[in-house]
Structures are given as structure tokens and as C-alpha cells.
Amino acid sequence: MKTVVIGAGPVGALAAIYAAKRGDEVEVYELRPDLRHASTVPLNFTKSINLALSERGIHSIAAAGNPDLLKSILNETIPMHGRMIHGRNAKHAPSQASQAYDVHGRFISAVDRGGLNDRLLDELEGLPNVTLFFQHKLTGADFKKNIAWVERQDEKEGSTNRRHAEIEISFDLLIGADGAHSAARYHMMKFARMDYKQEYIDTLWCEFQISPLMQEHGPDFKISPNHLHIWPAGEFMFIAIPSLDKSFTCTLFMPSPRFETLSGSPSSLPAFFDEFFPGVVPGLIDSESLVTQFRGNPHLPLISIKCSPHSYSSSCVILGDAAHAMVPFYGQGMNAGMEDVRVLYDFLDSYARDTKEKDLTRAAREQALSAYSKQRVKDAAAINDLALQNYVEMRSSVTSLSYRARKWLEEHIDIYFPNSGWATQYSRVSFGNERYSDVELAVRKQSRILAGVVSIFGLGLAASSIIALRWIRN
């Protein structure tokens, strides 16, 4: 069987590894030059945001069947045991408070997207049945005839208007893992009756860097490396994630009107940060560098995509951002994409036919892709919604008494009643492999139970208060 993968990012590379391990002839086509080269510019024209690698991604890499690959990836991660919430104390001085992610001590890991991608591509390059084609653009596909067309993008000829010659390729299965603006999805929509929804939220993001603290023994972190740092400010926030070189990759998430205001007056940026993100300036980033980074780095949008189905016939399936781009606030984008790969091949394996008759193989594959799409569309919509909801939690709720009280209560139910199956939403999403749609259902059920308990407690308290008042009056 011949599998063609469009896109050589983490999800596409992992999909190619899965296909190759099953004996497929695999070809991977990537629009950009070799992603392992430092000169390759990311598609968003900025350094990649550091990613959070959690259980779903780790489990999916492990299921690829090479323990050394997973070990090499985990060796280049930094554990983050919780959030560090920054603000001001009663004396208006900068303060910080740690909120552990999990009552059982589980953690997520900060990972450099480029380094992770390098390890996966190195693994692919060592497989004899895989061929990598960089600077190749998908320009068309016929998913009934199982052929596609790609153009070789020559950097030396990139400035000319002459169209490059198309190369025709054949395939049994084409996997589209080429991101939110997927060419594979675009061409699949000509064949599949796809429902498609694209939404930009009214928030832009801009990247900043906190440089390492230089000491006699060498560079060190300026703040705790084992936390995801958050400066919540109601309708916007600033976050910082550790990097292996002892720096932090930071992101400002903020409504576009505020970006426009600050862009018109960059000199006001240090004062703005001092008001809303205490301790950042000048303690972590000096004023000049802050303004320079704000002016030099792009202010980029956040896109949310839902579509259905994720497959067509026996010939095409889309994974990752191509199928369900989401806002980054749950740290699940890459993890969900990698889980797509594992779940897809679970279905393909379960529907496999022990035969060499091509028609039967095609029929089995079509059933597998259809079943995969039916399940995954529901789960993709669930994590898409959960990610958007988590933005409110990160920029606002983490400082509220009600949020902290509920987190404390749910964690203690988990500790003292372990057989109850109770867990926080965050633990279910980040530290397990439960279907995202099942997570939504479980959390709703828990919310109804808690609401009932609070209601009963409130009625009991009110009744007790009335009795006490009558007793006092008598």
C-alpha cells in the first residue's frame, strides 16, 4: 500500500512513521525547505511557540513502537508541575502563587516544536520505505482516481512568475496534515460534502523572549522553570514557558483594539506592562527590549476550525490543524493531532483484511476512515470548545475564590474517594486518554452534582440560621 502524507510537521511526521511501521510505501511532501535547517522560516514568520507535551501526545509517540524515539524527545523537555500566577499583593508589590496541575503530582512538559520535529524527521529518514520531499506544494488531487499533483518549489526561481511543472503522484491513501490552511482539505472539499466553520476570535498574539540570567557558573533561569507562568489581566494575559537554553518564550494574548492602541504608542508599553503584568519590566525584560520585540514581532490572529467529515471514501483523511485547528489555551493542539494519528491507525488496524485483493482492502479502508471520522469529529469539536473556554480560566478565573474552591474540592474528592472516578477537567484532558467528548459529559455530570450539593448545603445552612435566630429571639 502506498501512503502519501502532506505536511512534515509533528503530526504529519508521526503519521508517516505509523504508516511506515505497517509496511506501507510512504512519501511525505512538505511545502517548506527541510524543517531541520535553521534557515527555514516558519509559516507564521515567527519563532514557534513552545509547546506543552502531555499524556495524549506521549502515548501516541510511544505507540509508534520505538522507545528510543520517545526517550530522545522526553530528554529535551522541561517538566511543568503547575501554573505560577503572578499579580500584586496587599502592599501592591509583585507577588506569585503556585497552582499545581494535578493532586497526584503529574505534570506537562515544555518542548521546543523545532526540536520535536527534528527527532521525528530523523526517525523518518532512517526508515527504508520512506521518502521525504521538501519544497513541494500540493496543487490538486482526484480522490476518485487516487492521483494528486505537486509542484517543486525552487527557491532560486521563486521570484519569477513562471509556474513550475507539476508532478503527478499516485496513492492508496493520502493523509492531509498540512495545518489550518490545509491544501489537502481544500481539495478534499471538492469531493466530500463537508460542513466547514472557520472563526477568528478577537484576540491577537505576539511573542517575546525572556533571556537567561547570566551568572559566573553559566546561564540560569530568571524565574521557576517548572511552571507555566501566567499574568492574568481579565480580558487578556501574558504567559511564559521555559526553554532548554534557560530562556522563556512568552506570549501576549490580547484583544485587537488594545494591540492597535499600543502599536500607535509603543513608548507606553512599559507602563502598560507595569500596570497589568507586574514584575515583567524591568525585572525580566528591559523596557527597550520589550518595545523592540513588540514592534519587530508580528501580531498574529488565532483561528478556530471545525469541519465534518474528516475523510473521503478510502482515499483521503485529514488530521491535526487541517481538521480541527484550535486556540492554544489548553495546550492540546499538537497533542490532539498526535492522538488523531494513534486513533486513526487503531481503526485502520481493526478493519484490516488479511487479503491481497485490492477492492476488499479499499472497502475495509473506507469503513475504517468513515468510523474514524464519525468518532473524531465529535471529539475534535469538544476539545475545540474546551480550549476556548480555558482562555477565560487562564486570563481571569485562576484568581477567583470560586475557581480555587472548586479545584480544592474536586481534588480532595479524588484523593479520599479514589473509586468514585472523580477528577478535575484539567486532569482528564491533560493526564489521560479519555475521549474529549466523554470528558465534556463527565465534567457536566460533576458540575450538576456539585451544584446539587451546594444547593442542599445552602438550604441546610439557611434553615439552621432561621432556627438559630428564632431561638435567640425567644
Side-chain angles (χ1 to χ4, degrees):
M1 176 170 153
K2 181 178 178 182
T3 296
V4 165
V5 179
I6 307 298
V11 174
L14 186 63
I17 292 172
Y18 269 68
K21 295 285 184 169
R22 283 156 177 78
D24 294 1
E25 175 192 350
V26 181
E27 293 178 355
V28 181
Y29 293 87
E30 167 60 46
L31 175 62
R32 296 162 289 178
D34 193 329
L35 305 178
R36 292 166 292 184
H37 296 167
S39 60
T40 300
V41 179
L43 291 179
N44 58 13
F45 303 104
T46 185
K47 294 179 181 178
S48 298
I49 301 177
N50 278 18
L51 300 174
L53 180 63
S54 56
E55 166 59 22
R56 295 173 194 269
I58 292 170
H59 183 54
S60 300
I61 297 169
N66 184 347
D68 290 337
L69 171 62
L70 179 59
K71 183 178 179 181
S72 69
I73 290 171
L74 293 179
N75 283 342
E76 296 182 349
T77 65
I78 299 174
M80 296 187 293
H81 294 274
R83 298 164 173 164
M84 187 68 79
I85 309 302
H86 294 259
R88 292 190 184 276
N89 59 24
K91 296 181 180 180
H92 206 61
S95 64
Q96 60 182 30
S98 176
Q99 291 183 2
Y101 279 130
D102 181 63
V103 71
H104 301 292
R106 292 173 293 185
F107 55 87
I108 62 175
S109 297
V111 62
D112 176 71
R113 188 184 195 279
L116 171 63
N117 216 156
D118 290 353
R119 301 291 81 73
L120 294 171
L121 290 175
D122 288 344
E123 173 75 5
L124 273 179
E125 203 165 50
L127 299 175
N129 52 332
V130 176
T131 308
L132 298 172
F133 296 91
F134 294 102
Q135 293 180 264
H136 280 73
K137 178 182 179 180
L138 178 68
T139 57
D142 186 330
F143 293 113
K144 291 184 176 180
K145 297 180 179 178
N146 286 40
I147 55 175
W149 297 270
V150 295
E151 285 183 2
R152 161 77 181 178
Q153 306 291 297
D154 193 326
E155 287 183 314
K156 294 180 180 179
E157 300 176 4
S159 60
T160 70
N161 294 322
R162 181 174 62 83
R163 183 172 178 176
H164 302 283
E166 285 186 330
I167 305 167
E168 184 176 291
I169 57 175
S170 62
F171 56 85
D172 294 299
L173 175 63
L174 184 144
I175 298 175
D178 49 340
H181 303 287
S182 168
R185 183 187 65 233
Y186 171 77
H187 293 297
M188 192 181 91
M189 290 172 76
K190 300 173 185 177
F191 293 83
R193 291 184 296 178
M194 180 184 288
D195 293 325
Y196 177 81
K197 181 182 179 182
Q198 172 180 302
E199 180 182 4
Y200 286 95
I201 68 170
D202 188 24
T203 295
L204 301 178
W205 64 275
C206 180
E207 186 178 275
F208 295 82
Q209 291 288 318
I210 295 175
S211 59
L213 177 65
M214 303 309 297
Q215 303 203 63
E216 290 184 6
H217 64 270
D220 202 354
F221 293 102
K222 288 183 178 177
I223 49 180
S224 167
N226 299 122
H227 290 85
L228 187 154
H229 294 262
I230 305 176
W231 285 259
E235 64 172 2
F236 50 91
M237 68 178 181
F238 187 73
I239 69 170
I241 301 178
S243 300
L244 289 173
D245 65 358
K246 308 299 176 68
S247 68
F248 282 81
T249 299
C250 308
T251 313
L252 172 62
F253 296 101
M254 193 165 60
S256 53
R258 284 190 176 268
F259 266 103
E260 292 173 8
T261 300
L262 290 171
S263 295
S265 178
S267 60
S268 65
L269 197 65
F272 175 83
F273 264 67
D274 183 59
E275 178 180 358
F276 293 105
F277 311 130
V280 174
V281 180
L284 303 177
I285 307 175
D286 66 69
S287 298
E288 183 179 351
S289 177
L290 183 77
V291 174
T292 299
Q293 292 185 61
F294 181 79
R295 296 178 70 175
N297 292 338
H299 306 160
L300 299 169
L302 292 169
I303 192 171
S304 172
I305 290 175
K306 295 178 181 178
C307 67
S308 175
H310 291 176
S311 67
Y312 173 74
S313 187
S314 65
S315 57
C316 183
V317 63
I318 52 175
L319 309 177
D321 284 355
H324 49 72
M326 67 191 73
V327 293
F329 305 117
Y330 229 125
Q332 285 295 300
M334 178 191 68
N335 291 286
M338 289 184 162
E339 188 177 62
D340 287 348
V341 176
R342 180 184 62 78
V343 174
L344 169 65
Y345 276 90
D346 282 348
F347 274 101
L348 288 171
D349 291 345
S350 69
Y351 279 81
R353 298 288 191 266
D354 187 19
T355 177
K356 295 182 180 179
E357 295 182 46
K358 195 166 186 178
D359 288 339
L360 289 179
T361 303
R362 183 181 294 116
R365 189 165 62 249
E366 182 172 358
Q367 292 175 20
L369 295 184
S370 178
Y372 164 80
S373 180
K374 184 177 180 180
Q375 174 175 306
R376 205 58 183 164
V377 164
K378 188 176 181 180
D379 291 332
I383 187 55
N384 203 305
D385 292 340
L386 289 171
L388 196 53
Q389 294 165 19
N390 208 49
Y391 183 32
V392 178
E393 179 176 309
M394 292 178 71
R395 61 181 168 83
S396 178
S397 301
V398 289
T399 60
S400 73
L401 180 60
S402 60
Y403 167 81
R404 286 177 286 169
R406 173 168 176 158
K407 184 175 186 292
W408 180 90
L409 178 59
E410 291 192 312
E411 288 177 341
H412 280 73
I413 293 174
D414 187 4
I415 292 173
Y416 294 111
F417 302 96
N419 295 327
S420 68
W422 202 284
T424 64
Q425 177 177 292
Y426 192 91
S427 292
R428 290 181 185 277
V429 169
S430 297
F431 304 124
N433 296 289
E434 185 179 3
R435 287 182 56 186
Y436 290 122
S437 55
D438 288 343
V439 170
E440 270 197 321
L441 293 175
V443 170
R444 287 174 189 164
K445 181 180 178 181
Q446 289 179 185
S447 295
R448 288 194 298 269
I449 293 172
L450 286 177
V453 170
V454 170
S455 178
I456 293 170
F457 177 78
L459 288 172
L461 182 62
S464 300
S465 300
I466 292 171
I467 293 170
L469 285 171
R470 286 180 176 176
W471 183 81
I472 292 170
R473 285 177 180 176
N474 292 332

